[in-house]
């Protein structure tokens, strides 16, 4: 089976996805040491797995405590999660950053078209103020591809952002404003604009700056402040090299090389089959070919039809049950 990323990015049907996922699984079950140990403790023989729904998912917390790698190649870049002082952060050791670049570029083009068509404005202060953000790496590249002279970052200069948005509206320019949730709210407390064509994309999270809000209330506030009908969202994380996107109502869609499954919250090794049921979010990301493509996250979600899902919240416990299967 072809394990080249170029093959994964051309997946077009369920059978192709299943074959690719199984090939990646068998590769990682041998080459990724922490995943190999985890599967061994579960008593699973990787040769017996015949469908991607039966593949075991590695608890995401192992990215904090172990090097999750399936390649002997040197690490080109290390992405890290944010964390408070003294808190362990996740680290994603990326052997081939071009796979990440191909993943986010193909996904962005699939959902939104070419970055060169947009003026891209980024309001991401908490990400800019630390090193190792995979989101900043992606946005940096999209800004370069945008080529519009007004594209760029806005740290805390909200007045300049407001003036830029008004100019872009007057020019009839296709515009994407991507921002961390609390920073978008900070902006709207000072400025209101009626820009119906604007794409406002929130990356999620208050980063400890504000009280968490129910998504419907948050999106209602942002819609009113920007004069738009829908708020877009990006679902990504340090441990993934792919993103899902929502164009409204919090319903995310995956690119063809990424898939969401739900696990039973009381039995983390059991996959839920019926839709519209809340469960723990398991992600298959074939772009993670050199780390681990099968990750049990700390998110709670619902499936809405093929390859679309909704995030309902997070587990209260700090680490997913099942991690104690391995002696730390």
């Amino acid at each position: 089976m072809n394990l080249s990323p170029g093959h994964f990015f051309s997946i077009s049907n369920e059978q192709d996805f299943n074959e690719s996922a199984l090939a990646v699984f068998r590769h990682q079950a041998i080459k990724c040491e922490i995943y190999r140990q985890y599967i061994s403790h579960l008593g699973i023989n990787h040769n017996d797995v015949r469908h991607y729904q039966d593949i075991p998912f590695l608890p995401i917390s192992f990215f904090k405590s172990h090097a999750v790698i399936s390649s002997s190649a040197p690490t080109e870049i290390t992405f890290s999660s944010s964390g408070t002082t003294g808190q362990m952060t996740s680290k994603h050791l990326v052997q081939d950053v071009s796979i990440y670049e191909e993943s986010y570029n193909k996904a962005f083009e699939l959902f939104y078209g070419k970055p060169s068509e947009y003026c891209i404005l980024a309001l991401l202060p908490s990400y800019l103020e630390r090193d190792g953000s995979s989101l900043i790496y992606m946005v940096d590249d999209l800004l370069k591809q945008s080529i519009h002279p007004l594209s760029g970052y806005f740290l805390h200069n909200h007045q300049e952002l407001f003036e830029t948005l008004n100019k872009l509206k007057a020019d009839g320019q296709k515009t994407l404003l991507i921002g961390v949730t609390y920073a978008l709210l900070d902006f709207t407390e000072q400025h209101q604009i009626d820009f119906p064509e604007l794409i406002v994309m929130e990356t999620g999270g208050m980063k400890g700056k504000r009280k968490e809000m129910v998504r419907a209330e948050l999106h209602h506030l942002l819609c009113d402040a920007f004069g738009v009908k829908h708020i877009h969202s990006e679902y990504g994380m340090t441990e993934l090299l792919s993103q899902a996107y929502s164009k409204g109502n919090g319903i995310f869609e995956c690119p063809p090389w990424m898939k969401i499954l739900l696990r039973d919250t009381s039995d983390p090794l059991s996959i839920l089959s019926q839709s519209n049921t809340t469960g723990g979010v398991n992600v298959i990301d074939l772009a993670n070919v050199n780390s681990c493509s099968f990750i049990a996250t700390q998110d709670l979600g619902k499936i809405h039809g093929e390859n679309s899902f909704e995030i309902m919240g997070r587990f209260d416990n700090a680490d997913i049950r099942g991690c104690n299967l391995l002696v730390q």
Side-chain angles (χ1 to χ4, degrees):
M1 178 68 194
N2 189 351
L3 284 176
S4 70
H7 173 75
F8 305 144
F9 296 135
S10 63
I11 284 172
S12 60
N13 57 58
E14 183 79 355
Q15 181 181 342
D16 201 9
F17 183 90
N18 188 53
E19 290 174 357
S20 297
L22 288 173
V24 173
F25 166 62
R26 289 177 183 133
H27 168 73
Q28 293 179 344
I30 296 168
K31 296 293 186 180
C32 181
E33 179 59 23
I34 186 62
Y35 191 43
R36 186 190 65 75
Q37 290 183 43
Y38 184 69
I39 293 167
S40 175
H41 278 76
L42 293 176
I44 293 172
N45 184 330
H46 62 83
N47 290 315
D48 294 337
V49 177
R50 293 286 180 264
H51 195 274
Y52 66 79
Q53 291 194 348
D54 300 321
I55 292 173
F57 289 81
L58 184 73
I60 199 168
S61 58
F62 283 122
F63 279 84
K64 294 180 178 180
S65 56
H66 293 76
V68 184
I69 51 175
S70 299
S71 168
S72 58
T75 298
E76 284 190 355
I77 191 169
T78 299
F79 293 130
S80 59
S81 62
S82 58
T84 56
T85 304
Q87 186 182 49
M88 287 182 70
T89 57
S90 287
K91 286 187 168 39
H92 194 167
L93 309 177
V94 180
Q95 276 76 27
D96 185 353
V97 75
S98 71
I99 297 174
Y100 180 46
E101 293 167 350
E102 189 169 4
S103 178
Y104 66 64
N105 277 308
K106 285 189 178 297
F108 187 92
E109 190 164 337
L110 178 66
F111 291 107
Y112 292 101
K114 294 186 180 299
S116 58
E117 299 172 358
Y118 291 86
C119 179
I120 300 176
L121 312 175
L123 188 58
L124 301 164
S126 55
Y127 292 94
L128 278 175
E129 291 161 352
R130 69 176 183 85
D131 294 327
S133 167
S134 57
L135 177 64
I136 293 297
Y137 188 98
M138 176 180 78
V139 173
D140 277 347
D141 191 18
L142 294 178
L143 286 172
K144 289 172 189 169
Q145 294 179 60
S146 162
I147 71 176
H148 193 282
L150 294 180
S151 289
Y153 289 104
F154 294 81
L155 195 56
H156 301 291
N157 43 339
H158 292 166
Q159 181 62 33
E160 184 185 351
L161 174 58
F162 179 62
E163 292 169 3
T164 301
L165 285 168
N166 275 300
K167 178 169 179 17
L168 293 165
K169 177 189 173 184
D171 291 345
Q173 169 63 45
K174 268 176 96 169
T175 304
L176 166 65
L177 171 62
I178 181 168
V180 63
T181 307
Y182 80 84
L184 290 171
L185 286 171
D186 287 349
F187 173 81
T188 62
E189 287 180 350
Q190 300 173 27
H191 302 286
Q192 305 275 306
I193 186 170
D194 185 29
F195 192 170
E197 298 78 23
L198 176 66
I199 296 175
V200 180
M201 182 184 295
E202 53 107 358
T203 64
M206 295 297 188
K207 306 299 178 186
K209 306 283 187 179
R210 283 174 173 262
K211 183 180 177 183
E212 293 291 338
M213 294 176 65
V214 176
R215 186 195 67 240
E217 179 188 2
L218 167 67
H219 283 200
H220 179 71
L221 283 172
L222 293 177
C223 282
D224 282 353
F226 288 102
V228 297
K229 288 185 178 179
H230 300 287
I231 299 299
H232 296 228
S233 304
E234 181 250 15
Y235 181 78
M237 57 188 73
T238 299
E239 300 85 358
L240 302 177
L241 294 184
S242 299
Q243 300 81 29
Y245 289 101
S246 166
K247 293 188 174 183
N249 303 317
I251 306 300
F252 292 90
E253 287 191 52
C254 296
W257 57 91
M258 178 183 181
K259 200 174 283 288
I260 302 295
L261 287 78
L262 298 183
R263 64 183 183 277
D264 192 325
T265 53
S266 59
D267 180 7
L269 300 180
S270 176
I271 298 297
L272 297 172
S273 55
Q274 66 246 65
S275 60
N276 216 30
T277 303
T278 300
V281 173
N282 288 353
V283 180
I284 300 177
D285 180 7
L286 298 182
N288 275 22
V289 63
N290 291 326
S291 54
C292 182
S293 292
F294 313 96
I295 300 173
T297 76
Q298 292 172 318
D299 292 325
L300 291 165
K302 284 184 179 179
I303 300 290
H304 290 273
E306 188 176 353
N307 254 21
S308 64
F309 64 99
E310 179 180 8
I311 296 298
M312 310 301 295
R314 288 174 66 81
F315 280 91
D316 290 332
N317 49 321
D319 290 311
I320 297 172
R321 283 168 290 173
C323 295
N324 59 354
L325 285 167
L326 281 181
V327 177
Q328 303 298 310

